Amino acid sequence: MKKWIPAILFLGFLGYDALGQNPDMEIERNLRRIDIPFEYANGFIVVKVTFNDVFPLRFIFDTGAEHTILSKREITDLLNIDYQRRFPIVGADLSKELYAYLAQGISLQLGGVKAVNRNILVLEEDYFHFEEYTGVNVQGILGSDFFRRFIVKINYPQGVISLYDPQYFDPPGKGFVSVPIEINRNKPYINAKINFHPDSSIQVRLLIDTGAGLALLLHTDTHPELKLPEKVIPSNLGAGLGGFLLGYMGRVQKLELEPFVFREVTSQFQDIPEGIDSSLFNQRNGIIGNEILRRFTIMIDYLHEQAYLEPNRHYKDEFIHDRSGLNLIAGGLNLNDFIIYGVIPGSPAAQAGLIRGDRILSINGIPAAFLDLEGANRKFRKRVGKKMCLKIARGNTKIHVSFHLRDLI
């Protein structure tokens, strides 16, 4: 079970193609490039957005989302925003039908860029529960309807997004590799090769998704050779609309984004349920997320369907994973109440007797109050064999348990 890169932001729209955006943008005078700082939090790119000139909010910067979404309806209710239409949307399990409203005339300011008279979607309820599932305090998703007119550069080590005016943009020079992509419904797709065995490779089409905190997600029923590896474990793939996405976790022996090659990639696997409109997936075989993307400085040229990749200091980082079998959610005022949401059968945590609903009070003597969810999860990615001592609240009883970390895949 993967917890340190815990989220996929999946949103499928039913019954319409777009929100009919008015492309009004106010940009600070004479700026050919605008730099926007971001926080990289628990696998998410989080940016500060001023909503309707009033509310300072935090949104996920998401190349995998076509539209901008507000998850906290109470904000637009407070502003007396009129909702124009009610839309069905696909939930995290790819089958539940949830709902969102169209809100018009919204302004969003991100650094030196202000988008006015925007149409956005407002979730009928807070289906995401970001805080609980990810320990990250955000109120929505900034989709490609906001930034698709720019050249987008994401510098993960520096924590900066740069938006370039295309008419003044020159392709980057030495260090960057140009890679063709396809833009469909304002979302970028890239071709890649994967290997489960040394003597066979599979060509796959992947969505470049900065709203996904994982490395690689493959839809196993979209290609006859896309099958589960021999060694997998049941996994919550991440947080989406209405809950966690369920599937499996294993490893892909090799992922090739020519000329770049990654080996022993921790990967998630999920089937697409029967009856789902395949057009929502645009013939993709999966998703490439931040755990791969953060190893590059990446530029996306939407107009010319081109990406530019430059490896950074994280390029050769090992793909590590949780070695406890625990899946935690966060609660409390400071999001440092850690509740066990699930335990993988047969894992070290399961063998130690931990169960769903247990609350973690301390990890190896460190009180939970001193940690955030990302920090707590990081403790369970330590070296194989490390002893973990936990203090647990189970109802009104406090107990101590210990176990040793080991590889699960």
Side-chain angles (χ1 to χ4, degrees):
M1 182 174 299
K2 197 160 195 171
K3 312 191 306 306
W4 63 297
I5 47 174
I8 305 169
L9 304 181
F10 177 81
L11 186 68
F13 294 90
L14 304 177
Y16 69 105
D17 292 327
L19 300 186
Q21 291 290 358
N22 183 336
D24 290 343
M25 288 278 185
E26 298 175 1
I27 303 173
E28 290 182 9
R29 184 177 298 178
N30 298 325
L31 285 184
R32 299 183 179 185
R33 186 186 86 182
I34 297 171
D35 292 333
I36 299 161
F38 69 83
E39 176 188 357
Y40 190 66
N42 213 7
F44 289 108
I45 296 174
V46 181
V47 294
K48 294 180 179 179
V49 175
T50 302
F51 189 90
N52 262 25
D53 301 315
V54 176
F55 288 104
L57 304 180
R58 287 158 51 90
F59 277 38
I60 302 296
F61 188 89
D62 191 354
T63 59
E66 185 177 358
H67 304 296
T68 294
I69 305 155
L70 180 70
S71 60
K72 306 292 186 182
R73 182 182 167 187
E74 58 267 26
I75 293 172
T76 44
D77 285 348
L78 188 62
L79 293 172
N80 294 317
I81 300 294
D82 289 330
Y83 303 116
Q84 301 301 312
R85 296 171 62 188
R86 184 174 182 252
F87 294 108
I89 53 181
V90 176
D93 63 357
L94 307 183
S95 60
K96 291 179 182 176
E97 197 169 287
L98 310 173
Y99 293 93
Y101 293 99
L102 173 64
Q104 298 180 317
I106 303 298
S107 71
L108 302 168
Q109 182 156 358
L110 179 65
V113 179
K114 184 177 181 180
V116 298
N117 297 321
R118 306 301 292 175
N119 299 339
I120 70 167
L121 287 166
V122 180
L123 298 184
E124 187 171 64
E125 299 177 23
D126 185 6
Y127 303 118
F128 278 125
H129 300 289
F130 283 119
E131 296 86 352
E132 182 177 335
Y133 293 142
T134 67
V136 178
N137 181 25
V138 294
Q139 290 80 41
I141 297 170
L142 192 71
S144 59
D145 58 329
F146 185 95
F147 49 80
R148 68 192 180 202
R149 61 157 292 183
F150 300 99
I151 310 292
V152 177
K153 177 181 179 181
I154 306 173
N155 189 319
Y156 286 86
Q158 292 184 8
V160 175
I161 295 168
S162 299
L163 303 179
Y164 293 82
D165 187 333
Q167 67 177 321
Y168 299 111
F169 175 76
D170 292 322
K174 185 178 180 181
F176 282 88
V177 174
S178 176
V179 179
I181 59 175
E182 180 190 340
I183 304 298
N184 184 278
R185 294 180 66 162
N186 302 314
K187 295 184 287 187
Y189 295 83
I190 190 169
N191 291 323
K193 292 181 181 179
I194 61 169
N195 287 64
F196 291 107
H197 305 286
D199 57 350
S200 64
S201 65
I202 306 170
Q203 185 84 22
V204 292
R205 172 182 166 88
L206 303 174
L207 172 66
I208 300 174
D209 190 355
T210 62
L214 46 70
L216 181 66
L217 168 68
L218 296 172
H219 300 303
T220 50
D221 54 353
T222 60
H223 190 289
E225 297 181 54
L226 274 181
K227 300 179 181 179
L228 290 178
E230 292 181 4
K231 189 173 183 179
V232 295
I233 56 175
S235 176
N236 289 323
L237 306 184
L241 285 173
F244 280 110
L245 288 77
L246 301 178
Y248 295 90
M249 185 175 74
R251 287 189 184 271
V252 165
Q253 188 176 90
K254 184 169 73 171
L255 168 67
E256 186 174 357
L257 301 168
E258 192 175 352
F260 305 108
V261 176
F262 300 97
R263 299 187 185 276
E264 296 299 320
V265 180
T266 305
S267 306
Q268 318 283 4
F269 301 89
Q270 182 191 37
D271 285 342
I272 298 175
E274 293 183 6
I276 291 296
D277 183 358
S278 61
S279 67
L280 295 173
F281 294 87
N282 190 32
Q283 298 180 328
R284 77 179 188 223
N285 303 112
I287 290 169
I288 184 169
N290 282 328
E291 183 49 29
I292 293 285
L293 300 176
R294 72 173 184 86
R295 296 157 192 263
F296 300 95
T297 294
I298 182 171
M299 306 183 75
I300 301 175
D301 183 343
Y302 286 84
L303 179 63
H304 299 102
E305 296 189 306
Q306 202 72 27
Y308 302 91
L309 302 175
E310 181 184 43
N312 60 35
R313 65 176 183 266
H314 297 294
Y315 178 69
K316 295 184 178 181
D317 285 359
E318 180 186 1
F319 291 93
I320 58 176
H321 64 94
D322 166 66
R323 293 183 166 116
S324 69
L326 289 175
N327 187 3
L328 307 180
I329 58 176
L333 183 62
N334 298 314
L335 297 177
N336 54 12
D337 287 342
F338 307 128
I339 310 299
I340 296 176
Y341 183 86
V343 184
I344 293 178
S347 66
Q351 292 171 346
L354 292 170
I355 60 175
R356 179 171 176 165
D358 285 347
R359 182 162 63 95
I360 296 178
L361 302 178
S362 68
I363 303 173
N364 284 351
I366 301 175
F370 293 170
L371 299 169
D372 57 16
L373 184 60
E374 183 176 11
N377 286 332
R378 194 181 302 120
K379 299 292 183 184
F380 300 113
R381 303 197 308 269
K382 300 294 185 179
R383 61 175 173 82
V384 171
K386 182 172 178 60
K387 185 177 182 180
M388 306 301 297
C389 299
L390 276 59
K391 185 178 180 180
I392 299 295
R394 183 175 296 169
N396 295 323
T397 303
K398 295 179 181 179
I399 59 176
H400 292 81
V401 300
S402 63
F403 54 84
H404 293 84
L405 300 178
R406 60 177 169 83
D407 282 334
L408 302 179
I409 58 171

